[in-house]
Amino acid sequence: MWKPLQPPAPGAEIPTEAIDPTYRRMRTRVFIGIFIGYAGFYLVRKNFSMAIPELAALGFDTGRLGIVLSMNAVAYALSKFLMGSVSDRSNARLFLPLGLVLTALAMIFMIVPVTWLGPEHRNLSIVLMAVLNFLVGWFNGMGWPPCGRVMTHWFSQNERGTKMSIWNCAHNVGGALVGPMSVYGALWFGSWFYGSHSELYFLIGTYLFPAVVAMLIAVAAYVLIRDTPQSCGLPPVERWRNDFPKDYDPRQEEVLTTREILFRHVLNNRLLWSIAIANAFVYMVRYGCLDWAPTYLREVQGYDIEQTGWAYFAYEFAAIPGTLVCGWMSDCLFHGRRALPTILFMTVVAVFILLYWQFSSNYAVVTASLIAIGFFIYGPVMLIGVQALDLAPKNAAGTAAGLTGFFGYFFGTALLANLVLGTVADRAGWDWTFVLLIGACALSILFMAFTCHKEKR
């Protein structure tokens, strides 16, 4: 491990009477740090998709731009797993801001293929865009793992579902800001860089402005985050809250080698593989509904762009209360169990996919169904990440969550939601895509059920 990234040594223990107020203050502080830090990653995540229409207007081929777009998802899937193992052996206070700064720099350099090369050298421009968008996705993979590390060290298992449901809303906050920032960034600052060439203003709003804001957020995250309670002279959170999981071992506070993390705690963990496969099907439903809704509603059902836009917005907006409710239920009603609420929510999702399919000509039913799907699907997305942290020791949490994330983004999103559903819709018709989505719900429930016995103990 690169020495500056190594976890800090435990600090001198603070006086007993100062532990309680210090712990409460520091937990709030690090939570704010990882919340704004993770939101910052979503400011510089999928910006390229917003730039595609403007790039096409400049003369770039839309099909090739689609290839560039896919590089982000592939890189993110790989990075979330591989960088997770690095994160488990790193100082979260440095690891998260470093990843955010590198992402922002890669995003800024996305301007280069357009302004220095342009469509006149389209082949080289596309290759450079693909490389840079791959790097954006790769460095974005440095966001979730350190947040998971902070969560496992600062918050105990029986409160983690609620805390992570709140934290998980950071990606909705960050993602929601990208649109307005691209508009106002171009409006406010575009002429500073490109004068009368208004066709290039989008480069500032889509790339430069969000990247600069992300760098400022990285500084704030560095100021707020602390790696572990022990590095601040505090006892482990389980001891402070008297909330020990059944399999707690003090050795979980030690730093492990990559080999120990992978072969002792992650790759040989059958339950982790089970929820990873379940996550692939959950993500197939999540992005299968989200990514294909505009196409299905406009091209097949004849909805106008305003109707489609509001239905799409409703799906995303419903995620916030749904995630919070699911996290609260997991902690308070199911006492820290993750599989049962996930199974319950995925069952409801299947019902509303059926309604969405059978009543797709009724705009009110479609909107209500998409709101319900959005409300219920994001809870399982969040809880599977929490369960990955629960199933692995604290010193392997990032790698465990990275494995589930890899399955979700690579197999669930890139292959099943994008490639398989698109191909099926084109060759067999949209009815079969709905059959596959309902089947994915059933398979996610099946693989989650394999973990229920573990949580009963």
Side-chain angles (χ1 to χ4, degrees):
M1 175 55 58
W2 186 38
K3 192 171 183 179
L5 285 179
Q6 289 180 351
E13 291 191 12
I14 66 174
T16 303
E17 63 273 11
I19 289 178
D20 248 25
T22 303
Y23 230 123
R24 296 182 192 282
R25 183 180 73 254
M26 293 302 298
R27 274 162 46 107
T28 301
R29 176 174 171 169
V30 299
F31 186 87
I32 294 172
I34 61 173
F35 187 95
I36 65 170
Y38 197 57
F41 275 97
Y42 273 80
L43 296 180
V44 283
R45 175 99 183 261
K46 293 189 174 183
N47 306 49
F48 185 76
S49 61
M50 299 192 66
I52 287 178
E54 306 297 332
L55 292 170
L58 291 177
F60 289 98
D61 180 70
T62 303
R64 290 187 173 187
L65 293 176
I67 296 173
V68 174
L69 181 64
S70 68
M71 292 296 101
N72 187 284
V74 172
Y76 183 77
L78 293 169
S79 176
K80 193 171 181 181
F81 176 53
L82 297 175
M83 298 307 285
S85 65
V86 178
S87 172
D88 283 328
R89 297 176 288 113
S90 300
N91 183 351
R93 185 188 184 192
L94 291 172
F95 195 85
L96 186 148
L98 176 63
L100 188 49
V101 168
L102 291 174
T103 305
L105 288 174
M107 184 65 70
I108 291 172
F109 275 98
M110 291 287 287
I111 296 173
V112 172
V114 182
T115 57
W116 289 16
L117 298 174
E120 297 82 11
H121 305 88
R122 55 174 53 88
N123 289 337
L124 183 57
S125 295
I126 289 293
V127 170
L128 186 53
M129 285 184 198
V131 171
L132 288 168
N133 206 30
F134 184 92
L135 290 176
V136 168
W138 184 270
F139 293 135
N140 249 284
M142 296 175 68
W144 206 105
C147 294
R149 175 178 171 85
V150 168
M151 273 290 175
T152 57
H153 281 278
W154 284 94
F155 301 94
S156 61
Q157 183 170 320
N158 286 331
E159 61 174 344
R160 206 173 289 155
T162 302
K163 293 296 190 294
M164 285 200 70
S165 68
I166 299 171
W167 167 79
N168 199 63
C169 295
H171 82 265
N172 299 102
V173 173
L177 291 174
V178 173
M181 289 180 74
S182 67
V183 173
Y184 289 105
L187 185 65
W188 292 339
F189 307 114
S191 61
W192 291 14
F193 293 86
Y194 299 115
S196 61
H197 296 282
S198 58
E199 72 277 7
L200 298 178
Y201 287 5
F202 77 95
L203 296 173
I204 305 304
T206 305
Y207 296 143
L208 182 61
F209 184 42
V212 171
V213 173
M215 288 185 179
L216 295 175
I217 291 174
V219 174
Y222 174 79
V223 171
L224 292 169
I225 295 172
R226 295 295 182 272
D227 187 53
T228 64
Q230 293 91 318
S231 67
C232 301
L234 296 165
V237 67
E238 291 82 4
R239 198 168 79 202
W240 177 63
R241 294 192 76 242
N242 192 27
D243 181 15
F244 293 91
K246 300 180 183 69
D247 55 354
Y248 178 75
D249 187 336
R251 289 176 296 179
Q252 293 180 8
E253 310 296 336
E254 301 172 359
V255 178
L256 301 176
T257 65
T258 301
R259 182 183 181 87
E260 289 173 324
I261 290 171
L262 289 175
F263 296 103
R264 186 182 298 175
H265 297 294
V266 175
L267 297 182
N268 66 338
N269 190 326
R270 294 181 180 178
L271 297 179
L272 265 179
W273 283 101
S274 181
I275 67 170
I277 296 171
N279 202 40
F281 293 114
V282 169
Y283 269 71
M284 178 184 177
V285 175
R286 174 190 179 183
Y287 284 108
C289 290
L290 180 66
D291 291 349
W292 291 109
T295 303
Y296 175 71
L297 294 178
R298 292 192 66 187
E299 296 184 1
V300 180
Q301 298 301 329
Y303 291 0
D304 61 35
I305 190 170
E306 182 179 357
Q307 290 175 311
T308 302
W310 278 111
Y312 189 91
F313 170 80
Y315 179 94
E316 279 285 359
F317 183 78
I320 296 176
T323 302
L324 296 174
V325 169
C326 190
W328 174 82
M329 287 177 61
S330 174
D331 282 345
C332 299
L333 298 185
F334 293 94
H335 307 292
R337 297 171 69 182
R338 318 301 181 193
L340 285 177
T342 299
I343 290 171
L344 174 63
F345 272 49
M346 290 307 297
T347 302
V348 178
V349 167
V351 171
F352 279 101
I353 290 176
L354 181 63
L355 290 175
Y356 175 32
W357 174 22
Q358 296 300 315
F359 297 93
S360 55
S361 59
N362 186 316
Y363 182 69
V365 175
V366 164
T367 304
S369 296
L370 284 174
I371 290 173
I373 294 169
F375 183 95
F376 287 101
I377 192 63
Y378 278 91
V381 168
M382 178 272 302
L383 273 189
I384 288 177
V386 179
Q387 191 172 11
L389 302 183
D390 294 344
L391 289 174
K394 290 196 289 185
N395 44 13
T399 310
L403 178 66
T404 63
F406 173 76
F407 270 73
Y409 281 98
F410 187 82
F411 294 108
T413 305
L415 293 183
L416 294 175
N418 294 345
L419 182 60
V420 172
L421 288 184
T423 302
V424 169
D426 184 52
R427 297 185 179 180
W430 285 98
D431 284 348
W432 281 102
T433 66
F434 285 100
V435 172
L436 290 179
L437 288 172
I438 293 172
C441 291
L443 288 170
S444 69
I445 290 169
L446 173 65
F447 282 98
M448 287 304 299
F450 293 150
T451 70
C452 286
H453 73 281
K454 165 74 174 177
E455 295 186 321
K456 287 180 181 179
R457 294 177 185 174

